[in-house]
Amino acid sequence: MKIGIKYCGGCNPRYDRSHEVDKLKKRFPQHTFTYDVENTVCDLCLLVCGCMTACAEETGLAARKFKKLCTPQQFAAFAKELKDAPQETPDTKKSIYLGAVATMEKTFTEEDIQQFAKLTGDYGKLHTDAAFAAKYGFGRPVVHGILTGSLLSSIMGTTLPGAGTILMDEQLTFTAPVYAGDTITASIKLVHVEEKKRWYIGKFTGTCKKSDGTVAVEGTIHQLMMKTLFTYCRNIQNNQSLE
């Protein structure tokens, strides 16, 4: 696992933060620790704070999970959590089964809209011009539909099916606008598996819902899952959540 380390400003540290981080690095050499968190995508980013003000922020960082550590006691608890976590090996296969469900939640911000426009070059006025969006019926800038829909891809690439899956196609319908400040819950469900000689083709349904239950995005996605990474459990069918 790649673990990022980001320190707070260090305005009034009440303990030796570097010492606690060094203990983690020595105790868990099987994990990769990095301080280059602004240019690295990490599995976990530790926000190391010197006091309970906890001013270290997630803004501008890319990681699957974040965790704030503000005291030696919290470091000790995290070390136990890391020690007790199941260890995956390169040969571990992920089990998949019909009815499996995974979800994630994200609150979009104006910065998300601006960064996505910068990354893709899509500076469409409905997304970036408040006056234009208001004039033409949306009230304010709208989150790019593909950005909202990308939450489904995030789930499939990291949770269900998980690492190593390959997107084959997706058919998405955008049914309601999403705005900065909206919290979206994305959900993926495995509904069909077709077995080939070297891989499986999974059919997934996906939705992105606003906090009031309004569906903003829905669709069907096919993923290729190599048999070297995944195994299909035919006799298991349920709605177990993989949040």
Side-chain angles (χ1 to χ4, degrees), residues 15-239:
Y15 66 100
D16 190 338
R17 299 173 299 168
S18 297
H19 177 64
E20 295 296 333
V21 169
D22 286 341
K23 286 198 299 183
L24 284 178
K25 292 165 66 177
K26 291 178 181 178
R27 185 174 178 182
F28 301 101
Q30 70 271 34
H31 298 300
T32 300
F33 291 83
T34 178
Y35 296 96
D36 188 20
V37 291
E38 293 184 356
N39 301 302
T40 305
V41 178
C42 299
D43 298 297
L44 171 67
C45 184
L46 299 179
L47 304 174
V48 180
C49 302
C51 63
M52 296 309 293
T53 303
C55 58
E57 297 293 339
E58 302 174 9
T59 305
L61 306 181
R64 291 183 61 187
K65 294 181 180 179
F66 292 89
K67 191 174 188 69
K68 280 192 176 182
L69 300 177
C70 305
T71 66
Q73 292 76 17
Q74 290 179 353
F75 269 93
F78 172 69
K80 183 179 185 304
E81 178 183 320
L82 201 58
K83 176 179 179 294
D84 294 341
Q87 300 298 315
E88 291 190 359
T89 67
D91 296 328
T92 301
K93 290 186 179 182
K94 177 78 173 287
S95 297
I96 55 173
Y97 49 87
L98 295 182
V101 174
T103 65
M104 70 172 291
E105 185 178 281
K106 177 175 175 59
T107 301
F108 285 101
T109 66
E110 291 184 1
E111 183 180 3
D112 290 330
I113 298 174
Q114 295 165 4
Q115 290 297 323
F116 188 79
K118 181 179 179 181
L119 179 66
T120 63
D122 182 357
Y123 289 95
K125 289 189 175 183
L126 285 177
H127 307 299
T128 58
D129 188 323
F132 186 90
K135 180 178 179 180
Y136 291 99
F138 287 92
R140 52 197 174 106
V142 179
V143 176
H144 300 73
I146 292 297
L147 177 55
T148 303
S150 69
L151 298 182
L152 302 176
S153 180
S154 296
I155 296 172
M156 291 184 291
T158 60
T159 307
L160 178 66
T165 188
I166 301 171
L167 176 65
M168 298 181 69
D169 65 71
E170 61 180 356
Q171 300 294 323
L172 301 181
T173 302
F174 303 93
T175 53
V178 174
Y179 301 98
D182 283 347
T183 297
I184 300 297
T185 300
S187 178
I188 283 288
K189 182 176 182 179
L190 178 59
V191 297
H192 180 75
V193 174
E194 179 181 356
E195 184 171 359
K196 302 292 186 179
K197 183 177 180 180
R198 296 171 55 195
W199 55 74
Y200 305 104
I201 297 176
K203 179 181 179 181
F204 298 81
T205 57
T207 60
C208 295
K209 293 183 179 181
K210 303 172 74 167
S211 56
D212 64 0
T214 300
V215 176
V217 182
E218 59 184 352
T220 301
I221 307 101
H222 289 92
Q223 293 275 356
L224 185 150
M225 300 166 286
M226 293 179 287
K227 289 185 176 180
T228 51
L229 295 172
F230 300 92
T231 183
Y232 176 38
C233 302
R234 294 173 178 79
N235 298 324
I236 301 178
Q237 294 189 35
N238 59 27
N239 292 315

